[in-house]
Amino acid sequence: MLKTNEKNLVMLALQGTVAHADEFLPFEVGHDGIPRALPGTGSITYNVKVGDRAFGWKTDHTEPGVSSVCTNQEKPYAKGYNFLACCGNEVRVITGDAKGKKGTVIGTHGGVEHVIIDFPDSVLEKLTLDDKFLIKSFGQGLELVDHPEILCYNLSPSLLKKMNVRERGGKIEVGVTHIIPAKIMGSGLGSLSCTRGDYDITTQDPLAIKEYRLHELRLGDIVAIQDADNSYGRCYKKGAMSICVVIHANSYAAGHGPGVMTLTTCPKPNSLKPFIDAKANIAQILKIGRSR
């Protein structure tokens, strides 16, 4: 078992509420020059769940399950809500007909500053847009004691323990569904923080979609981004490796596509290595979403 500093991490309460659906523009022009009026981020999404396909929805950037924002929307607090929520964290409904029911943080979406939460269908049916959630934030600051060159972000210790991770020959190997080159990463590149939000796999080139099997991506897939350093911002670096989780669906916009949130990253070549595992999806790992 990997040695971590879990005993030194602090657990904090975060409070959020449902993010309302909004209209970004009356029409958004896609990379193909076609204007579309489609649902986007926000609200309670009843029929798109973690474990579902990332492609094929007649939407743009759709988030599975419940999109949430900080109950205090003053800017500093909104950032803290997105920064501190980690993939795999426990969520509890604290109002309404679903009070006391629990869910799981899937990921965080930059720009809109959403924290995305999975709940069972029975809970979704009881939620309203006025309900509030308490997240037990636990994970930022997580370290792999014997591998200081590998950084962890947005990753709860409980998820790490269940992931297909193995220590071999002084290296860390992680099961992923896809290995994706840094050259097709887009929106979110250059961000100075990998502890908030995500960045997008661009899907405007049909040959790249076929070559890297992007059409097979599912929400919740754990993927490797090759030659991508997410240590202190998102950038290209030959030999670097980042392990991420798919948190929102595809987009028609140029430079956009399925969004991925960083879980681990390493600038040092061959220290963090991916291997293909078809079951490397948080829905299956945590028994949530379509695998509940």
Side-chain angles (χ1 to χ4, degrees):
M1 182 178 291
L2 290 173
K3 290 174 62 178
T4 72
N5 66 335
E6 179 180 354
K7 66 181 185 299
N8 298 325
L9 301 180
V10 296
M11 185 178 289
L12 299 172
L14 309 176
Q15 187 167 295
T17 187
V18 180
H20 285 240
D22 196 8
E23 180 189 50
F24 178 62
L25 290 169
F27 289 92
E28 186 170 339
V29 179
H31 68 92
D32 51 9
I34 298 173
R36 296 176 176 87
L38 296 171
T41 62
S43 195
I44 300 166
T45 306
Y46 295 103
N47 63 330
V48 182
K49 302 180 183 301
V50 64
D52 280 340
R53 65 188 191 275
F55 280 70
W57 302 101
K58 203 68 177 175
T59 61
D60 200 276
H61 286 81
T62 281
E63 300 159 340
V66 176
S67 305
S68 72
V69 289
C70 185
T71 48
N72 187 333
Q73 278 297 287
E74 290 183 33
K75 203 167 185 181
Y77 301 104
K79 286 182 178 180
Y81 183 71
N82 194 275
F83 157 55
L84 290 167
C86 292
C87 190
N89 282 165
E90 179 186 286
V91 186
R92 180 165 51 91
V93 184
I94 57 174
T95 57
D97 292 343
K99 185 176 180 179
K101 300 297 183 182
K102 292 182 178 180
T104 305
V105 171
I106 298 167
T108 58
H109 190 177
V112 288
E113 303 303 327
H114 288 173
V115 173
I116 307 167
I117 305 169
D118 174 82
F119 286 106
D121 283 337
S122 59
V123 177
L124 293 180
E125 291 297 330
K126 293 179 180 179
L127 290 176
T128 72
L129 299 183
D130 295 320
D131 279 323
K132 296 179 181 178
F133 317 110
L134 194 72
I135 299 173
K136 286 187 175 180
S137 161
F138 193 61
Q140 293 293 28
L142 182 65
E143 296 174 354
L144 306 182
V145 174
D146 296 326
H147 302 273
E149 73 280 8
I150 298 173
L151 302 180
C152 298
Y153 294 128
N154 317 306
L155 176 60
S156 69
S158 60
L159 174 57
L160 176 62
K161 290 172 185 175
K162 294 177 180 178
M163 287 169 59
N164 192 356
V165 179
R166 57 200 188 198
E167 200 169 10
R168 182 179 296 181
K171 319 290 186 188
I172 296 296
E173 299 179 347
V174 183
V176 301
T177 63
H178 294 68
I179 299 174
I180 296 164
K183 68 181 180 181
I184 61 169
M185 298 307 294
S187 178
L189 270 174
S191 172
L192 297 180
S193 172
C194 291
T195 56
R196 288 196 293 116
D198 64 308
Y199 71 139
D200 286 8
I201 304 165
T202 60
T203 53
Q204 287 75 59
D205 182 359
L207 293 179
I209 290 174
K210 183 177 179 180
E211 181 177 357
Y212 302 111
R213 300 185 298 109
L214 302 183
H215 58 287
E216 298 175 8
L217 280 171
R218 296 167 298 158
L219 299 164
D221 273 353
I222 296 172
V223 300
I225 313 297
Q226 204 166 28
D227 298 322
D229 183 9
N230 285 191
S231 298
Y232 306 106
R234 303 185 184 106
C235 63
Y236 172 87
K237 185 174 183 181
K238 186 70 175 176
M241 186 67 68
S242 293
I243 306 297
C244 304
V245 59
V246 178
I247 58 94
H248 70 66
N250 192 31
S251 170
Y252 291 96
H256 290 259
V260 298
M261 181 184 73
T262 307
L263 298 178
T264 64
T265 188
C266 184
K268 184 178 176 182
N270 299 316
S271 293
L272 181 61
K273 302 183 73 173
F275 63 92
I276 296 298
D277 174 8
K279 296 181 179 179
N281 183 287
I282 62 169
Q284 294 189 57
I285 294 168
L286 299 175
K287 306 302 180 191
I288 59 175
R290 288 299 174 196
S291 295
R292 177 172 281 106

